Amino acid sequence: MNLIQFFDLNGERAVGQVDGDITRQVNDAASVYDLAIAALARNIGIGALIAEKGLGAAVDKAAILAEGRMLAPVDHPDPAHLYVTGTGLTHLGSASTRDAMHNSNKPAGELTDSMKMFQMGLENGKPADGSKGVQPEWFYKGNGYTVVNPGHPIPSPSFARDAGEEPEIAGIYVIDQNGQPRRLGFALANEFSDHVTERVNYLYLAHSKLRACAFGPELRVGDLPSHIEGMSRIKRDGQVIWEKPFLSGEANMSHTIANLEYHHFKYELFRNPGDIHVHMFGTATLSFADGVVTQPNDVFEIEEAQFGAALRNPIRIEAEHPVIVGNVY
């Protein structure tokens, strides 16, 4: 089952259930978050709750996307209570680009910190059931205010040195009333980053990740397929200037999803009841690695059939915003 959130033709929020080529509005539902909280309160699955509510009229998903009425597939009434985080160096092949970025200052034959981290994942990122594996690289990306709806421009700040895509899978979670993470499902994600800033020094990775992002348009409710093979591309003036397949799912990763989840949610900070978490699992495919330099109005396109509609967002360069630090004393 896939779910979407959108504005209907009257400007009211709505939820739709996607079944193949047919999308129907969920009765009496304004948000996936409300559905999740209600399902948790009754200790039933979100699918069972939707079945109780029933489905209404069919809606045109393509028109919703084309008209800019699609929302991210989950959000929070208070955007500050939605965390966007991620992990890196988690996919087979993901270390090569990072290693090349940070290898120039290393003596011949000495591994970069990135390659050391990647090898740690290869050795102990998929522990036996019940045991804890090695912790991955982790980063904070932002909160609900940094999430861009599908189809809308991703803003790149005026001080950025690069505006590059990262095609990923994001796990979507809500924290239940007992402070335990509960998985809602998975979605396509563009973990938009500044790779030129990151390349200066690996300690700048934290800065390079503090950017907007997008995920969706659909929430895949259920387990993550073990093998995911999608396509990431960039279009300029309607023409494809770069495209490359991307792989994900545990068959193509050096960590299990359970290991990545544990090392995120082991922190009490991330287990506050009612919070939403969008956790991005990493990638091994970047246009930056192929020397692509994006321009304003280029369009990122990420698609994989198991996740429904493609995620598309153009780039917008923000005007410089002066930062004036004043006093309150």
Side-chain angles (χ1 to χ4, degrees):
M1 177 177 69
N2 285 14
L3 299 176
I4 61 171
Q5 296 190 129
F6 61 98
F7 288 118
D8 66 19
L9 293 174
N10 297 316
E12 300 295 327
R13 289 181 58 113
V15 175
Q17 178 178 304
V18 182
D19 184 7
D21 295 331
I22 304 298
T23 303
R24 297 176 64 188
Q25 190 165 333
V26 178
N27 293 331
D28 189 31
S31 76
V32 169
Y33 180 80
D34 289 345
L35 289 171
I37 295 299
L40 287 171
R42 294 179 52 191
N43 198 29
I44 63 174
I46 196 169
L49 180 60
I50 289 173
E52 283 185 11
K53 289 179 171 293
L55 302 177
V59 296
D60 188 338
K61 183 176 66 176
I64 291 170
L65 280 165
E67 295 165 7
R69 294 190 284 119
M70 189 71 75
L71 301 170
V74 69
D75 51 8
H76 194 286
D78 179 357
H81 285 274
L82 185 151
Y83 289 85
V84 185
T85 55
T87 54
L89 300 171
T90 54
H91 284 62
L92 304 177
S94 62
S96 58
T97 302
R98 184 82 69 81
D99 188 56
M101 285 186 196
H102 303 143
N103 202 32
S104 59
N105 296 323
K106 288 286 184 182
E110 183 177 339
L111 295 179
T112 64
D113 289 337
S114 295
M115 189 59 75
K116 291 176 184 177
M117 179 71 76
F118 178 68
Q119 290 191 343
M120 289 166 60
L122 288 177
E123 293 167 1
N124 195 24
K126 293 185 172 181
D129 290 346
S131 62
K132 299 177 179 63
V134 67
Q135 63 185 6
E137 176 191 63
W138 180 97
F139 59 85
Y140 173 73
K141 188 153 187 70
N143 57 25
Y145 289 105
T146 65
V147 175
V148 176
N149 289 328
H152 289 245
I154 291 182
S156 182
S158 60
F159 55 79
R161 302 179 67 180
D162 176 50
E165 87 301 333
E166 294 202 14
E168 305 193 14
I169 302 300
I172 314 297
Y173 308 86
V174 62
I175 310 303
D176 70 15
Q177 57 269 39
N178 299 313
Q180 292 298 322
R182 304 289 287 270
R183 193 183 300 111
L184 285 172
F186 301 88
L188 295 175
N190 185 349
E191 198 271 289
F192 183 70
S193 299
D194 182 344
H195 302 104
V196 172
T197 291
E198 178 188 341
R199 185 173 58 186
V200 173
N201 188 298
Y202 76 95
L203 294 177
Y204 277 173
L205 182 137
H207 284 280
S208 75
K209 297 298 185 182
L210 290 173
R211 300 290 186 270
C213 66
F215 65 96
E218 302 184 28
L219 171 67
R220 179 188 166 98
V221 179
D223 294 335
L224 185 70
S226 62
H227 178 74
I228 294 164
E229 186 170 354
M231 186 65 72
S232 179
R233 60 178 62 91
I234 298 173
K235 292 182 176 179
R236 182 173 297 161
D237 299 325
Q239 302 297 315
V240 175
I241 65 165
W242 176 89
E243 68 176 352
K244 203 168 195 176
F246 72 93
L247 300 176
S248 194
E250 287 190 359
N252 303 294
M253 296 174 66
S254 53
H255 288 259
T256 62
I257 297 300
N259 192 53
L260 300 179
E261 291 172 337
Y262 167 73
H263 285 293
H264 177 69
F265 290 112
K266 68 184 180 183
Y267 297 101
E268 187 175 359
L269 168 66
F270 297 145
R271 302 197 305 272
N272 291 311
D275 284 356
I276 290 286
H277 288 256
V278 178
H279 191 64
M280 300 183 181
F281 295 127
T283 188
T285 302
L286 306 172
S287 65
F288 177 77
D290 292 335
V292 175
V293 178
T294 59
Q295 299 178 6
N297 301 316
D298 284 354
V299 176
F300 297 123
E301 185 172 279
I302 300 169
E303 63 179 350
E304 210 277 0
Q306 298 175 97
F307 290 82
L311 176 63
R312 297 183 179 93
N313 297 91
I315 303 171
R316 183 190 72 216
I317 306 300
E318 292 186 311
E320 183 175 359
H321 181 77
V323 177
I324 302 172
V325 179
N327 298 321
V328 294
Y329 54 81

